């Protein structure tokens, strides 16, 4: 089948397969990553044509400089309380993650996923949007729930699939859902939430409402058709939605090059659809806040969707089922040049004199105590395999509004046992 | 009362409901200004405006997914998939999302939405304008599947589907949009006007989801059918002079098991007919149910008359189509055994 | 549900639904369409980075000017024989279309689709590529078959689903397929061929082959997930494939704005993926030839895929099942400012003195005679409903390589009748 | 002969075939450097290079579609879908394209391709890592569907699938990758090493597609099973002390009808078991076939033991799972009637 022989005059084609620059054993080297100085990127007016944002998709919106100062046109100029609240939320998310990760390791549940290094992306966005806006998240935005004061206890009960699980043991751990907190059900099927969020936003526009939607998707999942359908519909109908791509550069074992990140940025997809696009330092809480607020104002003013790439790094493994040292150098995360979002926001608060070491230490103490307390309380209601949610009858409920005959029969068969 | 064909009846169901509830929106390919390639949504955009009736990009995934989002918001979207053959790009969103949302949110996010789609052959549409994919949707939890066989039921069932608080797949037998088809392709088609079920009440009424109708009473054998096949069954019973009872299922999930059991217990014989391919089609489910529940009343095996397990061929449509020429012998066999 | 009431301070959102500028009854007005002068667009080197093409996606590669002269850097400088051959192919396609359209109207088949005004897009591309490259077409590239001398007779027999139908009556009319002519099976399911073409091209690269693939898709169908998957995979693996978007501005009754063409061009999608992109006057055979040759050389040199938007207009109805006057002004096609591709190529040949009226008239005569003759011959083998392909046994063949028991039983049941 | 678990057997099947035929390429999510989330493709990229074994974007549609293109070119792609629950985005390309290509090209473009995917529950994977969607693929023409239940068959069937000239869906029961599972979740798992079928020959051999295996001979009742359920059936027969004949179907399309008929004619009773949801599952097809063809040999109705018609629930996995606790009573009932 090799035509070479037949066509000596033609060059032989070959398949290009993207490879990350470092594999286990190699030195991690992030020196090739272009990092524009904080404050160096211009900020278009909310009402500017989408094309005015299109040079930004190849740069990086950054607010916090290396000293921790907030600089440049994107500085959201937040009051100290908001800054402290964001720091607290991010610290709490991290404490919660560590705790639940260990709980899984201790066999108390089947599965867990951390968002280490990505806390700012969810927490800052939640604070930049209104309380009655809706979120269509992936499994790495637990920060959205924390920022909206969703009880840790409920989150833990879901993770344990125990008697207190609001989802009645039906969902895999971390697949939270809560309507009252505007947090849409997380799906195990990647990318499906993206066009759903667009539909929700279209509905809001249809009803002359003023609420907007935000959705999150991973770099890897942008390859799904759902992503394309979401952005296409959002552009066609100018839906009031913020489309967030969390580029943490990994999709389980494959790096972002396999997802289409080798030739251009994910923010650049916005150019292809003619909608507004921003590329943001995802480890900079102020940059995430500013970009989200910009996109939210734009959406609320009926100016349509914005695609935001949050450039970050997946510091930990993909999930408790994954060991990243099998495919990338050990400790790569620690070397990530954009640093740690929690440390960077803390540094800023310290720099502006609105925070100090003692307060930080005691907050850290309070938060871990809070997490420990919630965990104790949660475990009273059981853990997976040890008093988890178990109610055969309820297994058949909520498939339909009413129980049809075949499910009634199936339920009764089970109950007879 | 107005005499309506199926298209007019479906169109009227939209109008009646959209006038009552401004949360009902219609989206799909060509459904807006043009009113749909089969004209089911004709005039709706003019009456209700572009933000309630609008054309969608050619992206069935996006159509279903945005409808899910709209239903999650609180609207009642009615989405049209232009041909059932083109529903597959939206399959994941239907199966994995719409069908499971109420369950996985413990009831917090029910999805009241309807997906309408013309299905079935008999129009020389070839492999991709003739399919009957209903069995796929019967296999996955959380989705109701409705298939009318005449204008009266079409309007009443569509209204019931729009008012239903669960996702409903609404399959429209396109071959009988304009008139009942008995499977004799060489005979002139009688328009609905000549048919009692074309007497369609004006205004609001419903036909309950999950309830079958006895299209013909009989003692000798039960024929389980839906959509176009109801008319094939009726015509074949007449032609063969067989005292068959014809059940028009109208809904396949949840299927009307009581009606099925009552009829088969009475006749002791059962033939299932559908246009979809045979293997793992809904006829298999019906045969399995009947033998499970009426085994000791059965005097003969349940026979399936179905489309063959091949793609719907263009020029040999009438060799493929399960019409009277195939149902007749099956009925006789059911009686012999 | 309308939140207006609750939030008087916020503007009410509204849904934007794109509308074409003219509906039945309105005056057709194409004056807003920007048409750069022929020859005004630069031609990057084959080996140039994809980004060098990214300003071209907002312009229009044009070679033939209003006088019929070939001008500018994109002039492919074709010899007169090739030009005459392309003219002949395009005229033949049109004669064939007219004939088959009428045959359908006469009830000789169930369905037909013309490509009036789009002949150059298929014909010129076929001549710009090598004979052993492969095509993954839609139903509007019958010109590819004509350009590769596929017998009209076979095409007609397929349209009639008659005894001579190479596809044994299995496919809807115009869903041609022929392996020997490198013309991949047309699918009724839009867009599916696009990622398949990428897979074929990847296979060619995997084998060190030198053949490349080309695929076509309509503006409307670009909204499908298949399009996104195709371009994503093509970019990731740098597949040797030409991805053609035929923007004839209509998708049955909906204009290109509903497909996502309101905010930017379809060629601009290439920018979003970081691959090469070109936007071409699809009614200019020389421009189509030049752009295709450029993309082919690039692909063959292992430099990856090119996305080409062919800007044109669907002059006729979508198909024999469609009446365009129901949704757009009558005779809109005749007013299309980029003219008729056949007339434009003819004008060029006349201008350069390689063609004259008599030759044109006699060619026209020969071609219609050729079509009439083929039609007579085809109809001898039957038409749909009147001696069409009918062989119950063959209906069960080719589902699998061998006939499994259940198909054997089903076949035997049929044959017994 | 080497003792291999199912993962090692499948991995070896790839190696054996890729060494013989350089037209075989492997693609899928995480199958390259990492070797697959279940390690089935471990070491293949190292041995055969990145242009024959490569990671794919997270796009099941694109994975299937590019595999179709590769097969059309003349390669023999083996694509992995990471979990069967995620096959739906590729559904249209499988159903409408792969399954119909040979037919619609009148045999000019056969598609020799394999789609491998781990399926089934029992691993606390929740709604989206536990599904058994085999029935969907049985319903549409042109696709063969294979489901092994042990390492020996897994290797032999995968080699046969790769050599087959039609598209083959290859479902791998992930619960038994590392050891047979009899459905007693509270008992320790026995590794394959202790199992005869873990004696896997080195090199090339095939297990024919379309042929069932008698996993256990018996006279009293026939159990039709595949995948994990074969082990549940064997264990239950032992536990209940019932002289059941257990048929391991191994292929569901084309199903081994002769083996099924022979066994049911002998026993006169039949129980079908699968993990998929019941309604319109493949068990319905089996029940329909058995009653159609063995009606006069049946002394009792065919009973279906299946997953319930609800999404696979995370914490109540063992209530949902059709294990011995549910098969036992069904067997006894089949014998009583
Ligand atoms: C449709 C689908 N395909 C595959 C998977 C399996 N899967 C789960 S997470 C994951 C990687 C996702 O990577 P990315 O989108 O970058 O998100 P991240 O995990 O980095 O946050 C994969 C392949 C899935 N859940 N759904
Ligand atoms: C998946 C799918 N959805 C819908 C259709 C119905 N359909 C056939 S052609 C068409 C319009 C296609 O428009 P475009 O892609 O612009 O191609 P054109 O007809 O203009 O050449 C539609 C909606 C289809 N064939 N396949
Ligand atoms: Mg990622
Ligand atoms: Mg078009």
């Amino acid at each position: 089948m090799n035509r070479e022989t037949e066509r000596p005059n033609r060059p032989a084609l070959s398949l290009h397969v993207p490879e990350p620059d470092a594999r286990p054993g190699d030195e991690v080297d992030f020196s090739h990553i272009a990092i524009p100085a904080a404050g160096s990127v211009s900020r278009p007016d909310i009402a500017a044509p989408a094309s005015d944002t299109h040079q930004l998709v190849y740069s990086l919106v950054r607010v916090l400089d290396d000293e921790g100062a907030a600089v440049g046109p994107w500085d959201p100029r937040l009051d100290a309380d908001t800054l402290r609240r964001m720091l607290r939320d991010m610290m709490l998310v991290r404490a919660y993650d560590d705790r639940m990760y260990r709980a899984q390791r201790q066999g108390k549940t089947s599965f867990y996923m951390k968002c280490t290094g990505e806390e700012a992306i969810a927490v800052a966005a939640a604070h930049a949007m209104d309380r009655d806006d809706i979120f269509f998240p992936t499994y790495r935005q637990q920060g959205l729930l924390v920022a909206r004061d969703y009880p840790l206890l409920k989150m833990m009960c879901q993770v344990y699939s125990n008697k207190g699980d609001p989802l009645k043991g039906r969902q895999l751990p971390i697949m939270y859902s809560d309507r009252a907190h505007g947090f849409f059900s997380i799906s195990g099927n990647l990318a499906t939430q993206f066009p759903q969020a667009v539909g929700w936003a279209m509905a809001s526009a249809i009803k002359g409402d003023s609420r907007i939607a935000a959705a999150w998707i991973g770099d890897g999942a942008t390859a799904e058709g759902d992503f394309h359908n979401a952005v296409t519909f959002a552009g066609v109908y100018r839906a009031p939605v913020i489309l967030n791509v969390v580029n943490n550069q990994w999709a389980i074992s494959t790096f972002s090059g396999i997802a289409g990140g080798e030739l251009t940025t994910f923010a650049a997809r916005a150019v292809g659809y003619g909608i507004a696009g921003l590329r943001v330092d995802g480890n900079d809480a102020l940059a995430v806040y500013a970009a989200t607020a910009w996109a939210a104002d734009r959406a609320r003013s009926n100016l349509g969707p914005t695609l935001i790439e949050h450039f970050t790094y997946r510091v930990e493994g993909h999930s408790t089922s994954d060991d990243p040292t099998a495919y990338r150098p050990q400790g790569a995360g620690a070397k990530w040049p954009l640093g740690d979002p929690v440390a960077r926001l803390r540094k800023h608060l310290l720099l502006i004199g609105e925070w100090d070491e003692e307060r930080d230490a005691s907050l850290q103490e309070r938060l871990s105590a809070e997490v420990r307390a919630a965990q104790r309380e949660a475990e009273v209601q059981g853990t997976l395999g040890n008093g988890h949610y178990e109610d055969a009858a309820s297994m058949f409920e909520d498939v339909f509004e009413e129980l049809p005959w075949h499910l009634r029969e199936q339920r009764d068969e089970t109950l007879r046992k | 009362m107005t005499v309506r064909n199926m298209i007019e009846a479906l169109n009227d169901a939209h109008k009646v409901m959209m006038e009552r509830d401004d949360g009902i929106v219609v989206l799909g390919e060509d459904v807006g200004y043009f009113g749909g390639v089969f004209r089911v949504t004709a005039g709706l955009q003019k009456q209700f405006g572009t933000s309630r009736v609008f054309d969608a990009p050619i992206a069935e995934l996006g159509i279903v997914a945005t409808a899910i989002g709209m239903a999650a918001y609180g609207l009642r979207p009615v989405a049209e998939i232009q041909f059932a053959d083109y529903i597959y790009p939206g399959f994941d969103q239907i199966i994995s999302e719409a069908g499971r949302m109420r369950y996985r949110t413990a009831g917090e996010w029910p999805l009241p939405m309807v997906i309408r789609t013309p299905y079935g052959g008999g129009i020389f549409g070839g492999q991709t304008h003739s399919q009957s994919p209903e069995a796929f949707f019967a296999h996955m939890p959380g989705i109701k599947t409705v298939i009318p066989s005449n204008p009266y039921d079409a309007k009443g069932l569509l209204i019931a589907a729009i008012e239903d608080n669960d996702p409903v797949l609404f399959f429209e037998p396109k071959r009988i949009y304009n008139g009942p088809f008995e499977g004799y392709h060489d005979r002139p088609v009688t328009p609905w006007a000549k048919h009692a079920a074309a007497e369609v009440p004006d205004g609001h009424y419903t036909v309950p989801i999950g309830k079958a109708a006895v299209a013909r009473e009989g003692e000798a054998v039960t024929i389980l059918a839906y959509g176009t096949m109801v008319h094939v069954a009726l015509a074949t019973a007449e032609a063969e002079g067989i005292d068959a009872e014809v059940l028009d299922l109208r809904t396949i999930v949840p299927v009307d098991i009581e009606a099925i059991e009552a009829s088969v217990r009475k006749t002791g014989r059962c033939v299932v007919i559908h246009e979809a391919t045979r293997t793992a089609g809904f006829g298999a489910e019906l045969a399995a149910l009947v033998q499970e529940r009426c085994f000791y009343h059965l005097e003969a095996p349940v026979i399936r008359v179905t489309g063959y397990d091949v793609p719907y061929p263009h020029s040999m449509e009438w060799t493929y189509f399960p019409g009277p020429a195939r149902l007749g012998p099956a009925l006789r066999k059911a009686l012999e055994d």
Side-chain angles (χ1 to χ4, degrees), chain A, chain B:
Chain A
M1 212 175 335
N2 185 325
R3 321 262 316 174
E4 264 318 76
T5 50
E6 293 175 31
R7 298 281 197 109
N9 57 316
R10 284 189 188 175
L13 294 165
S14 64
L15 188 74
H16 171 80
V17 179
E19 264 298 313
D21 9 63
R23 288 295 195 186
D26 302 344
E27 257 312 305
V28 204
D29 175 13
F30 286 124
S31 58
H32 61 286
I33 291 181
I35 303 177
S40 63
V41 170
S42 69
R43 181 180 183 281
D45 182 77
I46 294 295
S51 54
D52 285 11
T53 66
H54 290 170
Q55 79 283 1
L56 306 186
V57 302
Y58 304 107
S59 184
L60 212 52
V61 172
R62 306 182 65 225
V63 171
L64 291 172
D65 67 16
D66 298 352
E67 284 59 51
V71 298
W74 285 94
D75 176 7
R77 299 197 169 59
L78 300 177
D79 57 77
D81 288 340
T82 306
L83 291 169
R84 280 186 290 259
R85 170 63 201 245
M86 294 204 298
L87 178 64
R88 174 261 178 196
D89 291 348
M90 288 163 65
M91 288 168 70
L92 181 54
V93 168
R94 190 164 293 181
Y96 172 78
D97 270 359
D98 292 341
R99 204 77 196 167
M100 290 297 95
Y101 180 85
R102 261 186 284 134
Q104 191 277 345
R105 285 286 180 255
Q106 292 159 357
K108 294 174 177 174
T109 190
S110 54
F111 182 78
Y112 191 73
M113 297 177 102
K114 298 169 111 178
C115 65
T116 314
E118 304 177 33
E119 294 88 349
I121 292 161
V123 168
H127 287 291
M129 293 180 71
D130 286 349
R131 177 62 184 75
D132 57 0
D133 293 329
I134 191 170
F135 304 143
F136 286 77
T138 79
Y139 45 74
R140 262 187 240 285
Q141 283 82 47
Q142 46 268 61
L144 297 171
L145 284 170
V146 169
R148 281 190 173 173
D149 293 317
Y150 186 68
L152 286 187
L153 176 63
K154 281 190 172 184
M155 293 173 73
M156 289 174 170
C157 289
Q158 197 283 327
V159 168
Y160 286 144
S161 268
N162 69 12
K163 299 182 188 63
D165 177 5
L167 303 184
K168 303 182 174 176
R170 293 171 185 166
Q171 277 280 56
L172 198 67
I174 62 95
M175 300 280 175
Y176 314 106
S177 173
D178 191 83
R179 186 161 190 154
H181 289 78
F183 187 94
F184 194 73
S185 166
I186 295 169
S187 178
N189 297 59
L190 290 172
T192 51
Q193 74 285 358
F194 230 52
Q196 290 165 6
V198 174
W200 194 99
M202 288 169 67
S204 188
I206 288 166
K207 298 303 291 180
D209 194 343
S210 62
R211 293 173 298 162
I212 64 172
W216 287 260
I217 193 172
D219 51 312
T222 59
E224 293 283 2
D226 306 66
F227 172 83
H228 176 58
N229 279 216
V231 188
T232 299
F233 279 62
V236 167
Y237 303 108
R238 318 262 167 98
V241 62
I242 304 174
L243 299 168
N244 297 286
V245 175
V246 181
N247 177 12
N248 62 9
Q249 303 181 61
W250 289 92
I252 305 185
S253 76
T254 64
F255 83 119
S256 54
I258 295 294
E262 201 177 41
L263 298 173
T264 189
T265 68
F266 290 94
R269 301 279 191 273
V271 180
Y273 297 97
I275 67 169
L278 298 172
R279 189 158 180 270
V280 177
D281 175 351
N283 293 22
D284 177 341
L286 297 190
V288 172
Y289 187 106
T292 305
W294 185 91
D297 285 356
R298 194 172 162 89
R300 235 181 279 286
S301 315
N302 240 323
L303 297 169
T306 302
L307 181 73
I308 304 177
E309 173 185 352
H310 301 270
F311 190 48
T312 181
Y313 194 85
R314 198 196 73 210
V315 174
E316 301 275 343
H318 171 70
S319 73
T320 47
S321 317
D322 179 49
D323 169 15
T325 63
Y327 50 80
R328 73 182 193 194
Q330 194 132 25
K335 299 212 177 72
W336 179 237
L338 291 173
D340 171 57
V342 180
R344 285 175 67 189
L345 183 56
R346 178 183 293 118
K347 189 172 187 177
H348 175 63
L349 272 159
L350 292 169
L351 182 82
I352 62 174
E354 292 288 350
W355 198 239
D356 56 54
E357 298 302 348
E358 303 78 75
R359 285 158 83 182
D360 196 71
S362 68
L363 172 60
Q364 183 65 65
E365 197 23 69
R366 270 206 320 287
L367 295 175
S368 4
E370 195 181 318
V371 172
R372 277 198 309 277
Q375 187 182 21
R376 266 193 306 278
E377 221 187 314
E379 293 184 3
V380 170
Q381 304 189 57
T383 57
L384 187 64
N386 177 7
H388 58 239
Y389 188 93
E390 189 66 63
D391 172 357
S394 88
M395 189 173 88
F396 298 90
E397 289 160 9
D398 299 324
V399 177
F400 295 102
E401 184 174 32
E402 285 133 22
L403 202 64
W405 69 268
H406 61 289
L407 288 178
R408 196 178 328 107
E409 285 189 359
Q410 291 175 26
R411 181 199 61 191
D412 296 347
E413 179 204 315
T414 320
L415 296 183
R416 253 185 265 104
K417 293 210 193 54
Chain B
M1 277 300 179
T2 312
V3 171
R4 294 184 168 93
N5 65 25
M6 248 170 123
I7 291 166
E8 295 159 341
L10 290 162
N11 181 264
D12 194 48
H14 283 86
K15 283 215 180 79
V16 167
M17 289 308 293
M18 292 182 81
E19 281 164 0
R20 297 182 142 216
D21 178 353
D22 68 4
I24 296 167
V25 297
V26 172
L27 69 158
E29 295 156 16
D30 303 291
V31 301
Y33 184 93
F34 183 57
V37 295
F38 290 104
R39 328 293 305 127
V40 170
T41 59
L44 297 183
Q45 187 179 69
K46 203 170 197 324
Q47 182 177 350
F48 300 101
T50 54
S51 53
R52 286 187 63 194
V53 182
F54 48 90
D55 291 320
I58 302 170
E60 293 73 16
L61 187 167
I63 290 169
V64 174
T66 52
I68 288 171
M70 293 174 198
Y73 175 94
L75 302 185
R76 290 183 176 268
V78 180
E80 175 178 298
I81 299 297
Q82 199 163 75
F83 287 85
D85 314 62
Y86 305 137
I87 202 165
Y88 307 121
F91 200 65
D92 186 46
Q93 286 281 349
I94 297 172
I95 290 299
S96 309
E97 300 295 307
R100 288 208 306 260
M101 200 60 71
R102 179 190 288 273
Y103 194 78
R104 76 181 206 222
T105 63
E108 277 201 340
W109 258 301
L111 297 177
M113 56 188 280
V114 178
I115 299 173
R116 291 178 39 249
T117 186
Y119 85 100
I123 62 159
F124 279 105
Q127 297 178 26
T128 57
H129 302 85
S130 307
Q131 290 170 37
S132 302
E134 67 274 6
F136 289 132
F137 303 94
H139 185 40
M140 274 292 176
I143 297 154
K144 294 178 179 174
T145 302
V146 173
I147 310 176
S149 71
N150 61 63
Y152 179 90
D153 287 352
K155 179 178 173 180
L157 282 167
L158 182 54
I159 290 176
I162 293 172
E163 292 178 338
D164 197 280
N165 290 324
D166 288 308
V168 178
L169 247 299
F170 195 90
F171 286 100
E172 301 169 2
K174 67 173 94 76
R175 182 60 174 84
I176 60 173
Y177 266 147
N178 295 303
F181 179 65
E182 305 181 329
Y184 302 105
H185 62 277
D186 35 19
R187 298 189 191 166
V189 181
T190 51
W192 276 114
K194 301 216 172 354
H195 197 288
E199 287 287 326
V200 176
D202 302 322
H204 180 281
Y205 72 92
T206 61
V207 170
I209 291 174
K211 288 263 157 289
V214 178
R216 181 186 198 275
E217 293 210 350
E219 303 291 328
V221 55
T222 299
I223 307 177
L224 301 180
Y226 47 86
T228 304
M229 291 302 129
V230 171
H231 304 279
V232 170
L234 293 170
T236 309
E238 291 307 321
E240 301 281 335
I242 290 174
D243 183 23
E245 178 146 297
V246 178
L247 264 196
D248 178 353
L249 296 179
R250 301 197 294 195
T251 301
I252 65 170
V253 175
V255 76
D256 188 345
I257 194 66
E258 284 166 17
I260 293 171
E261 285 183 27
S263 181
V264 175
R265 290 230 167 83
K266 177 175 70 174
T267 62
R269 301 168 190 277
C270 181
V271 173
V272 177
I273 182 165
H274 61 59
E275 205 177 333
T277 50
R278 166 171 317 198
T279 301
F282 195 70
E285 177 62 28
L286 291 169
L289 284 171
V290 167
Q291 67 85 35
E292 273 163 18
R293 310 170 79 95
C294 309
F295 187 75
Y296 300 100
H297 293 78
L298 280 177
E299 287 160 46
V302 182
I303 299 177
R304 289 182 286 171
V305 177
T306 71
Y308 295 120
D309 286 317
V310 310
Y312 213 112
H314 177 251
S315 77
M316 288 183 284
E317 175 142 280
W318 301 122
T319 313
Y320 181 92
F321 191 89
R326 286 172 56 201
L327 180 55
L331 289 175
R332 275 181 258 115
K333 184 163 187 325
L335 294 175
E336 285 155 20
D337 288 334

